Amino acid sequence: MAILGFAASLVTAKAASISPLGSLRAFLRDAVAPGQYLGAVAFVSRDGRILDWSAAGHRDLARTSSMRRDTIFRIYSMTKTVATVAVLTLMEDGKLALDDPVGRHLPEFSGRPETVRHLLTHTSGFATPSEAMEKSADLKAYSEAAARVPSAAPPGTRFEYNSVNTEVASRLVEAASGASFGDFLRQRIFDPLGMKDTGFSVPEGKRARIAEMTSTDASGRLVPWLAGDSTRAGDMLRSYESGAGGLYSTAGDFARFSHMLLKSGELEGTRILRAATVDLMMTNQLTLLTPPVSQYNEGFGLGGYVNLDDPKRERPGSVGAFGWSGAGGTYFMIDRSRGVAAILLTQHIAQGLGRDPAKPSFRFYKIALLAAHAE
């Protein structure tokens, strides 16, 4: 099945066991071997051609349901990139500008120095959110609570990855558009791109497709992850539509979103952003900082990391590669210089002696890039 569907010639490559794609699938098998992760879905494409789209392992801890390509995942902070695209569509509509003071659109921030750009680059200086803020009834209440908290640093002086930035930006979308954040995403991004399985909750009829979230106990065994997640699978992850981490999605849906960005804002004749806006999104915005990098020795654009020409950078890929990740073990990367999109979705949160789901993602990217280059 050609999920991207934008070319009649779109095909899925078949991989021999000794090929780079065979190595990619071996990586997945190893990742879900006994004692490792429960299951995973990987997607790799180059120049619009699906090189691999594989599911391995299981989506439930009882191992009664095999992982499938259409499995639904909590993508957590990958939501931030989607929220950023929403803000940028309003910029293109003339409803706001990147260097507008946030207070021009949200009265609770009136007279304060934070700008829209500060929100999208995590340079606002906002303090870490309190538990009470994260229990706000809606984005309006969250934004008003955030405005009452003293800043931790002057805006524009440091990069501090912080969910407050994106929640305030999500409220900004509501204020500038007149629509709820979820409705705006559906109308301007999800429906136009055909992202049928992406949203802040999952309909009852699709909930059997949700992957179970796991963690590890002190002995290293996989166990259900319960801390901080009292909701039923498929329910909203927050009481509000969280742009910082509230979306559910699938590899197929996020492939469509990724290919829209890879193709400079357009997919299948539907344009979400102008090419110049995507260029801006994938340009390092930290150049006024010293050094002009995040704590990962990477740049940061609008809504995601940007690879720099720095051998100490965390993630592989060409200079200019862009992407982000989610706390539950979800990752995406767009390498425009190679025409490559790569997505890895798992559902595991490390705690205590649990394994860190970030490390295998970097190995995945390396293997995916090698596979894409070789095919």
Side-chain angles (χ1 to χ4, degrees):
M1 179 171 61
I3 189 69
L4 298 179
F6 55 77
S9 61
L10 188 67
V11 295
T12 302
K14 294 182 179 180
S17 60
I18 58 172
S19 73
L21 288 175
S23 297
L24 180 61
R25 293 173 186 175
F27 163 80
L28 279 184
R29 290 194 300 271
D30 291 346
V32 301
Q36 301 298 312
Y37 295 92
L38 189 62
V41 178
F43 178 97
V44 182
S45 68
R46 190 186 71 189
D47 297 331
R49 177 171 174 257
I50 299 173
L51 300 180
D52 195 68
W53 185 14
S54 299
H58 296 83
R59 63 175 184 266
D60 65 324
L61 198 53
R63 291 181 169 83
T64 59
S65 299
S66 296
M67 186 67 76
R68 300 186 339 188
R69 297 194 310 183
D70 67 349
T71 295
I72 297 170
F73 294 81
R74 303 159 190 81
I75 64 170
Y76 290 131
S77 285
M78 279 167 55
T79 306
K80 290 180 172 71
T81 311
V82 180
T84 297
V85 169
V87 174
L88 294 176
T89 62
L90 288 167
M91 180 191 76
E92 291 188 348
D93 290 348
K95 299 289 183 66
L96 54 81
L98 285 181
D99 294 316
D100 280 352
V102 175
R104 181 173 296 174
H105 308 278
L106 299 178
E108 59 267 30
F109 286 94
S110 180
R112 293 180 51 152
E114 298 92 353
T115 67
V116 177
R117 191 187 302 270
H118 289 142
L119 299 180
L120 301 186
T121 58
H122 297 272
T123 58
S124 67
F126 287 147
T128 302
S130 66
E131 184 177 349
M133 282 173 58
E134 294 189 331
K135 291 182 177 179
S136 296
D138 53 30
L139 285 170
K140 183 175 185 293
Y142 186 105
S143 180
E144 290 170 348
R148 292 193 293 268
V149 177
S151 294
T157 61
R158 73 185 190 192
F159 175 88
E160 187 73 31
Y161 183 62
N162 187 326
S163 62
V164 180
N165 293 288
T166 316
E167 303 298 25
V168 173
S170 303
R171 172 57 188 157
L172 190 65
V173 169
E174 293 186 330
S177 70
S180 73
F181 186 55
D183 283 348
F184 188 86
L185 293 187
R186 187 181 69 253
Q187 294 163 11
R188 296 294 297 269
I189 300 174
F190 302 154
D191 285 353
L193 291 179
M195 298 170 67
K196 300 183 184 301
D197 290 323
T198 301
F200 289 106
S201 61
V202 179
E204 290 286 347
K206 295 182 178 182
R207 292 192 176 192
R209 290 163 48 197
I210 301 172
E212 186 172 353
M213 185 70 73
T214 62
S215 187
T216 43
D217 64 14
S219 66
R221 292 185 309 116
L222 286 178
V223 294
W225 185 75
L226 300 175
D229 190 358
S230 59
T231 60
R232 287 192 313 144
D235 287 354
M236 285 181 59
L237 300 174
R238 297 280 186 197
S239 53
Y240 49 88
E241 295 170 327
S242 170
L247 285 177
Y248 294 85
S249 193
T250 63
D253 272 12
F254 216 84
R256 296 186 67 83
F257 178 79
S258 297
H259 272 258
M260 177 273 293
L261 294 176
L262 188 65
K263 290 170 63 65
S264 298
E266 180 272 337
L267 183 68
E268 296 176 0
T270 296
R271 181 159 293 282
I272 303 298
L273 292 174
R274 298 171 190 151
T277 302
V278 177
D279 289 344
L280 180 65
M281 191 175 177
M282 299 186 187
T283 299
N284 184 24
Q285 301 288 313
L286 305 183
T287 54
L288 295 180
L289 302 185
T290 304
V293 296
S294 71
Q295 63 265 42
Y296 308 110
N297 292 305
E298 299 165 337
F300 196 87
L302 302 175
Y305 72 82
V306 178
N307 265 359
L308 303 178
D309 187 12
D310 185 339
K312 300 187 298 296
R313 69 181 185 237
E314 287 282 322
R315 292 167 240 247
S318 304
V319 173
F322 175 90
W324 203 241
S325 58
T330 60
Y331 312 87
F332 84 100
M333 182 268 291
I334 296 165
D335 193 331
R336 292 201 293 173
S337 70
R338 303 188 191 192
V340 172
I343 298 167
L344 175 65
L345 302 179
T346 65
Q347 291 286 252
H348 184 88
I349 292 180
Q351 65 181 27
L353 297 178
R355 62 186 67 82
D356 181 355
K359 292 178 181 176
S361 78
F362 300 150
R363 183 178 165 218
F364 165 72
Y365 286 155
K366 290 178 182 177
I367 296 171
L369 287 166
L370 287 171
H373 183 70
E375 294 299 314

